[in-house]
């Protein structure tokens, strides 16, 4: 039976989400999730593209906008070299679409399947995550030393970045200027990989496979033009099914070399607290020149499912105040306190989705009431891989050192800044009457060098 509650506003040009009107029973669950779980103010019709409404719609009226057919067309075009890479949380969820256990790590099968689909190269986005960490940890140390633009906010979640650009533009400068791991990996494929393999970048098509519907919107931004397509975990599963591949019985394969592997610090990016833990493993290395101690390899205070996690860590004589948040609703009061100078942190990690990317809007649907349990199993699987992998922090990843040595130059250097960093801009907010709040101070903001 239809009730008469207002569903969320999804415009026709939304790059991530569509609504199937005929399925909508006007139950209002999507509006509730958007305002009460995600944290978008009720009177502001702003879509953060996160897809939490898709995961929570009881009738399937909200759906991801699919691009995988276009990707298959490029795979069939012999002129094109189609390169994909797989985000960390996809390995612990894609198997669910084939009836496998929640949280089962199927990384090796995904690589085999994507090769069978026809991708020319299959990489692991944990490489891009390591690269993000190397740049972001050094960026943080510089900010901290200069006491400039603190706290530093993580910027790998496009929904969180859009939230700041839209609702707290005064804090834009607090966002790390690092591109997301997917953004960095796409840019490295179109530059470093293209040069090493002598392939014209015009003929390379980059495809990220992510738990995230918001990555589709990220790809459309100027600074992310190296990303041609982003497919969700569900889309990747559909593509594999449509190609008639017997996923469950596939043998494991390794991702291609050059950008095929990350450290375990890159793997835990997929779960809330993982970015922070990984950044501080590398801050320890930057500040002391030594391998991180056990405290940083098993950073319990930032792990787990609490929406807000606080920690203080000491490295040499410095004490860093850290906050980790998932669910934007929980960070709003803190942002207001920061704006009013009432609260101080040095580093804040924020992810939009429940539990971080493992709970992304592009993940396979589970029973709505069991979502927290499913996300916990996915998160446990990532920490299990963290324990098993020998290389535990990004600076120790030999593929990363080789990239800097042979191509990128210095961390935060001129080339790295051009290829791996980004800018931000204040966004317009759509009001109840469908008009826009005019941003009188609108300006295109050039990234300033932090280290000057
Ligand atoms: Fe995407 Fe992860 Fe952010 Fe969710 S938390 S919107 S999956 S980047």
């Amino acid at each position: 039976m239809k009730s008469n509650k207002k569903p969320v506003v999804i415009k026709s040009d939304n790059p991530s989400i569509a609504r199937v009107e005929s399925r909508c029973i006007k139950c209002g669950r999507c509006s509730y999730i958007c305002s009460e779980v995600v944290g978008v103010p009720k009177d502001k019709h702003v879509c953060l593209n996160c897809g939490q409404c898709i995961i929570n719609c009881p009738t399937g009226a909200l759906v991801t906008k699919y691009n995988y057919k276009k990707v298959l067309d490029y795979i069939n075009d012999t002129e094109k070299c189609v390169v994909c890479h797989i985000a960390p949380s996809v390995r612990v969820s894609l198997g669910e679409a084939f009836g496998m256990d929640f949280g089962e790590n199927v990384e090796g099968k995904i690589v085999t399947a994507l090769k069978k689909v026809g991708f020319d190269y299959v990489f692991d986005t944990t490489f891009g995550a390591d690269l993000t960490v190397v740049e972001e940890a050094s960026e943080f140390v510089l900010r901290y030393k200069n006491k400039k633009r603190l706290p530093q906010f993580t910027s790998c979640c496009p929904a969180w970045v859009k939230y700041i650009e839209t609702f707290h533009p005064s804090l834009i400068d607090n966002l790390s200027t690092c591109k997301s791991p997917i953004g960095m990996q796409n840019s490295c494929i179109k530059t470093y990989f293209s040069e090493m393999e002598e392939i014209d970048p015009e003929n390379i098509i980059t495809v990220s496979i992510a738990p995230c519907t918001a990555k589709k919107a990220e790809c459309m931004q100027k600074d992310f033009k190296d990303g041609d397509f982003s497919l969700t975990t569900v889309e990747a599963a559909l593509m594999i099914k449509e190609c008639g591949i017997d996923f469950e019985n596939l043998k494991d394969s390794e991702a291609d070399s050059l950008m095929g592997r990350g450290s375990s610090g890159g793997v835990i990016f997929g779960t809330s607290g993982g970015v922070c833990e990984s950044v501080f493993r590398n801050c320890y290395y930057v500040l002391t020149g030594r391998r991180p101690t056990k405290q940083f390899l098993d950073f319990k205070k930032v792990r787990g499912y609490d929406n807000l996690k606080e920690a203080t860590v000491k490295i040499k004589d410095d004490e860093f105040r850290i906050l980790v948040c998932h669910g934007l609703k929980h960070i709003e009061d803190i942002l207001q306190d920061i704006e009013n100078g009432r609260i101080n942190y040095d580093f804040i990690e924020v992810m939009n989705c429940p539990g971080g990317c493992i709970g992304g809007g592009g993940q396979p649907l589970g029973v709505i009431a069991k979502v927290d349990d499913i996300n916990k199993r996915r998160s446990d699987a990532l920490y299990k891989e963290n324990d098993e992998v020998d290389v535990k922090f990004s600076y120790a990843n030999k593929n990363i050192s080789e990239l800097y040595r042979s191509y990128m130059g210095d961390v935060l250097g001129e080339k790295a800044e051009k290829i791996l960093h980004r800018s931000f801009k204040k966004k317009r907010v759509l009001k109840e009457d469908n008009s826009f709040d005019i941003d009188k101070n609108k300006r295109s903001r050039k990234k300033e060098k932090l280290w000057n």
Side-chain angles (χ1 to χ4, degrees):
M1 199 175 74
K2 286 198 178 193
S3 73
N4 206 15
K5 294 188 179 147
K6 274 190 184 168
V8 284
V9 174
I10 303 287
K11 290 167 72 194
S12 58
D13 61 354
N14 190 313
S16 308
I17 304 166
R19 183 205 312 286
V20 183
E21 284 298 341
S22 57
R23 287 192 201 147
C24 179
I25 56 170
K26 308 275 186 299
C27 67
R29 183 159 172 84
C30 53
S31 299
Y32 171 81
I33 293 291
C34 192
S35 61
E36 302 307 317
V37 177
V38 174
V40 175
K42 262 193 189 131
D43 59 333
K44 302 290 182 194
H45 301 306
V46 174
C47 175
L48 300 179
N49 310 102
C50 70
Q52 285 304 310
C53 52
I54 298 173
I55 293 275
N56 285 283
C57 174
T59 62
L62 289 153
V63 293
T64 303
K65 277 198 177 157
Y66 289 157
N67 301 112
Y68 74 96
K69 297 270 188 202
K70 288 182 196 149
V71 171
L72 286 171
D73 288 345
Y74 277 111
I75 286 174
N76 290 326
D77 179 345
T78 50
E79 297 272 292
K80 300 293 180 196
C81 172
V82 189
V83 183
C84 73
H85 51 104
I86 310 155
S89 28
V90 174
R91 73 196 63 201
V92 292
S93 59
L94 192 139
E96 295 164 21
F98 292 90
M100 298 167 85
D101 261 1
F102 296 111
E104 188 165 339
N105 191 331
V106 290
E107 181 190 356
K109 284 189 196 300
I110 300 175
V111 176
T112 311
L114 295 175
K115 286 279 186 176
K116 279 183 178 283
V117 166
F119 285 96
D120 296 292
Y121 291 85
V122 178
F123 293 135
D124 187 340
T125 319
T126 54
F127 175 89
D130 272 350
L131 197 47
T132 302
V133 166
V134 165
E135 292 286 322
E136 191 163 340
S138 294
E139 179 186 5
F140 173 66
V141 168
L142 267 170
R143 285 190 192 216
Y144 185 82
K145 280 186 179 159
N146 296 334
K147 296 284 173 237
K148 252 178 147 183
R149 300 178 203 159
L150 291 173
Q152 178 171 309
F153 298 157
T154 54
S155 60
C156 44
C157 170
W160 155 241
V161 169
K162 190 168 178 182
Y163 187 83
I164 287 289
E165 288 179 321
T166 308
F167 300 115
H168 293 278
S170 67
L171 297 176
I172 278 177
D173 285 342
N174 293 71
L175 287 162
S176 160
T177 60
C178 288
K179 286 183 185 171
S180 62
I182 285 176
M184 285 202 183
Q185 190 127 348
N186 285 332
S187 292
C188 283
I189 291 168
K190 293 267 174 116
T191 55
Y192 171 59
F193 166 80
S194 142
E195 206 170 298
M196 294 296 155
E197 297 295 312
E198 298 180 352
I199 305 170
D200 181 351
E202 292 292 314
N203 284 329
I204 297 177
I205 303 294
T206 53
V207 182
S208 58
I209 298 186
C212 180
T213 49
K215 291 288 168 191
K216 289 175 186 285
E218 187 182 79
C219 273
M220 300 184 74
Q221 296 170 21
K222 187 169 83 20
D223 289 339
F224 292 86
K225 63 181 184 337
D226 292 327
D228 294 310
F229 295 99
S230 188
L231 306 183
T232 62
T233 312
V234 172
E235 271 181 287
L238 271 174
M239 191 165 62
I240 292 165
K241 279 184 188 172
E242 283 191 19
C243 290
I245 295 163
D246 177 10
F247 185 81
E248 268 182 277
N249 293 312
L250 290 176
K251 292 214 163 67
D252 289 351
S253 307
E254 295 265 316
D256 287 306
S257 57
L258 204 64
M259 299 183 198
R261 267 239 77 84
S263 70
S264 67
V267 172
I268 58 174
F269 249 68
T271 185
S272 166
V275 181
C276 173
E277 180 165 345
S278 190
V279 164
F280 275 87
R281 287 178 191 178
N282 286 272
C283 284
Y284 186 89
Y285 178 76
V286 171
L287 289 165
T288 67
R290 294 198 304 271
R291 293 174 62 79
T293 54
K294 189 168 180 302
Q295 179 199 359
F296 294 94
L297 298 177
D298 186 14
F299 197 172
K300 291 230 160 47
K301 282 195 170 162
V302 298
R303 294 187 183 184
Y305 217 70
D306 291 346
N307 288 100
L308 289 172
K309 294 166 272 188
E310 269 187 322
T312 305
V313 290
K314 203 163 180 219
I315 305 178
K316 287 168 86 177
D317 295 331
D318 293 313
E319 212 164 56
F320 301 100
R321 294 150 301 174
I322 297 167
L323 183 71
V324 169
C325 171
H326 63 103
L328 305 181
K329 182 184 164 61
H330 303 276
I331 197 76
E332 177 54 32
D333 287 351
I334 291 161
L335 294 177
Q336 289 179 22
D337 283 348
I338 292 170
E339 282 173 324
N340 294 322
R342 287 196 294 257
I343 199 167
N344 281 321
Y345 288 101
D346 297 308
F347 185 89
I348 300 184
E349 174 202 303
V350 183
M351 301 301 250
N352 176 79
C353 298
C357 298
I358 44 161
Q363 294 283 59
L365 299 177
V367 179
I368 290 176
K370 292 189 175 166
V371 157
D372 285 354
D373 179 50
I374 293 169
N375 286 338
K376 185 177 176 309
R377 288 164 75 170
R378 292 170 180 164
S379 174
D380 288 349
L382 292 181
Y383 284 120
K384 183 168 180 284
E385 186 172 340
N386 171 65
D387 293 341
E388 289 166 0
V389 170
D390 289 338
V391 182
K392 299 273 194 233
F393 69 115
S394 313
Y395 266 99
N397 179 345
K398 289 203 169 64
N399 287 355
I400 293 285
S401 356
E402 178 55 22
L403 167 78
Y404 280 101
R405 192 197 60 74
S406 65
Y407 185 79
M408 202 64 77
D410 295 332
V411 173
L412 299 180
E414 206 177 313
K415 203 164 182 181
E417 187 198 346
K418 193 162 161 250
I419 297 173
L420 306 176
H421 289 255
R422 60 168 298 177
S423 55
F424 303 96
K425 66 177 180 188
K426 187 175 173 181
K427 297 259 192 296
R428 297 187 303 176
V429 179
L430 194 59
K431 294 194 292 188
E432 184 78 28
D433 64 357
N434 278 352
S435 64
F436 281 106
D437 282 334
I438 303 298
D439 170 14
K440 294 198 178 77
N441 301 315
K442 195 170 179 207
R443 66 200 158 111
S444 97
R445 177 180 168 274
K446 279 204 174 148
K447 185 167 66 71
E448 293 167 56
K449 273 192 181 176
L450 289 163
W451 39 97
N452 273 349

